[in-house]
Amino acid sequence: MSPALLRIRPVAAAIGGALLFALTFTAAPAAPAAPVPDRTAATAGHQAQAAAGLTAEITRTSAWDSGYGAAVAVTNNGGTAATGWTIEFDLPAGTDVTTHWSATKTRQGQHYTFTNASYNGAIAPGQAASFGFNAGGLGLPLNCTINGAPCKGGGTTEPPTDPPAGASPVAVNGQLTVCGTKLCNEHGNPVQLRGMSSHGTQWYPQCLTGGSLDALADDWKADVLRVSTYVQEDGYETDPEHFTDLANNLIQQATDRGMYVIVDWHMLSPGDPNANLANARKFFTDIANRNKTKSNILYEIANEPSGVSWPQIKSYAEQIIPVIRNIDSDAPVLVGTRAWSSFGVSEGADESEVVNNQVNASNIMYTFHFYAYSHRDEYLATLSRAADKLPVFVTEFGTQNYAGEGDNDFAMSQRYLDLMAAKKISWVNWNFSDDHRTGAVFKTGTCDGGGPWAGTSSLKPAGVWIRDRIGTPDDFRTS
């Protein structure tokens, strides 16, 4: 069985002893190869679509001793809409697909066929869809086809240029900018940031020390820290000067360690961000004036709106964004979405209300939050669709239920992470504290005891799991 003609493009170094690869398959415009016996031929229409520019990129996003996880991005590089896609490949004996998502699967021996789900078959020009799978065994796909046309290697993508050894995320990427539906570095290349969110700084400042932030930057290899300033719940409104100074101190500490910083205006109740409009104006004015010369800041202006319409959230955003832009014109702004930043799903809506009525501002992204035990396929599909049409940043997620507690669902969480890797959606996990809930990464008492911060001895299971995934090497391209 000969391998398909493909180029293996390294995107990261070893994970648990297994190398991480991206496999780029480009459907060739040449005539289809001779059909394999006992396999249904694709329609001429699908072959034409493949020839017109459908491509598939398979990224091995996680690896372990006995298998790996993969995300598959199907991109329409042509000039006409695609109405469906089918990807077929063979796996060597000893390697099998054990689970899959966002596609239907059939199998004949070692030959696998994946067909689009009902919600991700139509792909407009320049847009993408995705699915994923886990494999038992380490064999890579062979004999790939897209819509019946052979997948031939090549294309024009060059291997990423290695960043300088030991360089920090900010040193490598510089000022970030929203480009299309992606977050891009100063070299114009899409990036995916991965990191942690603080808990409320009014409750857990003892978890945000020089030692813990050293560990986050150097041991965990995090790209970004989200600094969560609660508005209510004994937060900002009780002492604006104190909480602004605390946020500025943490911004500087993250800056000193070469990490990006999300300045999170953590409004929860009331759920209408307009209720805190005056406070938000003052907070972001003070923060922007202090940090306007930095190149590592992102402003998150409304954590989780709820019980409020999208037009009201949009109105708030269009009042706060100019406050920031008049002081700091370069930094991306992150806008919360309806129903606890679920694009409205938790209140019976979907991303279309944002797609059809976008905020009147540039260099912005929309936020999405999920908790994997509670937020299942409907939420995952919404994130996938939204990211094809809007710039999206997952500024908060957990492996537990929506309250950040209870059992961890690592399998569902990995499905989200695979999707986000395939679409370069940046993410931040909740939370970097020793709160008693399972979603806090440190065991209770760690922060009051001053650590230990590095390694895994002080971590809960969720902390061990997310540290491992933050620590996988970044794919930062500099040319």
Side-chain angles (χ1 to χ4, degrees):
M1 186 179 296
S2 61
L5 296 173
L6 53 89
R7 176 155 44 84
I8 299 178
R9 173 166 55 83
V11 296
I15 300 177
L19 193 64
L20 184 67
F21 294 102
L23 313 178
T24 302
F25 305 109
T26 303
V36 179
D38 298 322
R39 296 177 191 165
T40 302
T43 66
H46 276 183
Q47 289 177 353
Q49 286 182 0
L54 278 183
T55 63
E57 185 174 41
I58 303 178
T59 303
R60 195 163 68 172
T61 55
S62 58
W64 50 94
D65 289 343
S66 59
Y68 60 90
V72 186
V74 182
T75 303
N76 184 358
N77 295 307
T80 59
T83 57
W85 47 264
T86 298
I87 293 178
E88 301 182 52
F89 56 76
D90 300 301
L91 288 176
T95 299
D96 304 289
V97 173
T98 55
T99 58
H100 69 285
W101 50 93
S102 298
T104 59
K105 183 200 78 176
T106 59
R107 175 181 181 179
Q108 290 183 318
Q110 290 301 108
H111 183 76
Y112 290 86
T113 301
F114 292 91
T115 304
N116 60 271
S118 60
Y119 53 81
N120 61 2
I123 310 176
Q127 301 299 313
S130 67
F131 71 97
F133 64 89
N134 290 330
L138 301 178
L140 299 177
L142 308 167
N143 307 321
C144 174
T145 65
I146 303 174
N147 287 354
C151 297
K152 291 189 176 179
T156 58
T157 302
E158 295 298 325
T161 301
D162 291 334
S168 72
V170 176
V172 172
N173 294 295
Q175 178 67 59
L176 303 177
T177 306
V178 179
C179 55
T181 60
K182 307 299 182 187
L183 184 64
C184 292
N185 61 19
E186 66 181 7
H187 310 288
N189 298 313
V191 296
Q192 183 197 38
L193 303 182
R194 297 170 297 184
M196 290 299 302
S197 176
S198 75
H199 205 313
T201 55
Q202 76 274 38
W203 296 316
Y204 294 98
Q206 71 274 24
C207 297
L208 300 166
T209 68
S212 71
L213 294 177
D214 282 344
L216 184 62
D218 300 329
D219 179 57
W220 290 50
K221 307 296 183 186
D223 306 316
V224 58
L225 170 68
R226 181 183 187 232
V227 176
S228 292
T229 300
Y230 275 66
V231 186
Q232 277 76 42
E233 300 182 62
D234 299 322
Y236 177 87
E237 68 177 6
T238 66
D239 192 342
E241 183 177 358
H242 167 73
F243 286 104
T244 301
D245 288 345
L246 182 53
N248 280 324
N249 176 268
L250 292 170
I251 290 167
Q252 188 59 53
Q253 290 204 58
T255 302
D256 292 342
R257 291 161 176 80
M259 291 187 288
Y260 289 94
V261 186
I262 297 172
V263 181
D264 166 32
W265 182 243
H266 205 86
M267 46 75 55
L268 277 172
S269 180
D272 183 352
N274 292 286
N276 287 296
L277 181 61
N279 278 333
R281 287 182 187 275
K282 177 170 175 50
F283 176 74
F284 285 112
T285 296
D286 293 341
I287 292 291
N289 273 318
R290 178 72 173 270
N291 299 285
K292 61 186 176 184
T293 61
K294 293 182 172 67
S295 61
N296 63 324
I297 309 296
L298 302 90
Y299 298 94
E300 184 177 2
I301 61 174
N303 164 55
E304 289 187 346
S306 63
V308 62
S309 71
W310 169 245
Q312 290 171 283
I313 301 168
K314 178 175 179 286
S315 173
Y316 164 83
E318 290 174 350
Q319 294 177 76
I320 292 297
I321 291 172
V323 172
I324 297 169
R325 289 278 186 264
N326 288 338
I327 304 167
D328 186 346
S329 60
D330 298 327
V333 174
L334 312 179
V335 180
T337 59
R338 184 153 76 95
W340 299 276
S341 285
S342 70
F343 280 112
V345 178
S346 292
E347 291 176 351
D350 62 31
E351 77 286 353
S352 62
E353 65 180 15
V354 180
V355 172
N356 297 326
N357 187 21
Q358 297 182 35
V359 172
N360 184 24
S362 60
N363 203 25
I364 68 167
M365 307 186 82
Y366 300 92
T367 67
F368 184 82
H369 294 179
F370 69 86
Y371 284 82
Y373 189 91
S374 298
H375 301 141
R376 314 298 293 179
D377 288 329
E378 181 182 9
Y379 290 80
L380 182 64
T382 298
L383 174 60
S384 180
R385 293 192 309 268
D388 290 341
K389 298 178 180 179
L390 300 166
V392 179
F393 199 126
V394 173
T395 54
E396 185 178 313
F397 83 91
T399 57
Q400 313 78 26
N401 67 21
Y402 62 86
E405 57 190 0
D407 293 339
N408 294 292
D409 190 336
F410 293 135
M412 188 69 193
S413 300
Q414 189 63 54
R415 290 177 61 187
Y416 275 103
L417 262 61
D418 290 343
L419 172 69
M420 293 188 288
K423 299 197 174 189
K424 284 196 176 294
I425 302 169
S426 297
W427 53 257
V428 172
N429 180 256
W430 181 267
N431 66 81
F432 198 66
S433 82
D434 63 353
D435 177 65
H436 69 277
R437 298 171 182 85
T438 50
V441 297
F442 293 113
K443 296 175 182 175
T444 302
T446 298
C447 297
D448 286 339
W453 305 113
T456 59
S457 63
S458 296
L459 299 180
K460 297 174 187 172
V464 174
W465 188 87
I466 198 63
R467 173 183 175 272
D468 192 39
R469 280 145 184 83
I470 289 175
T472 58
D474 294 305
D475 179 23
F476 293 148
R477 302 187 190 188
T478 57
S479 64

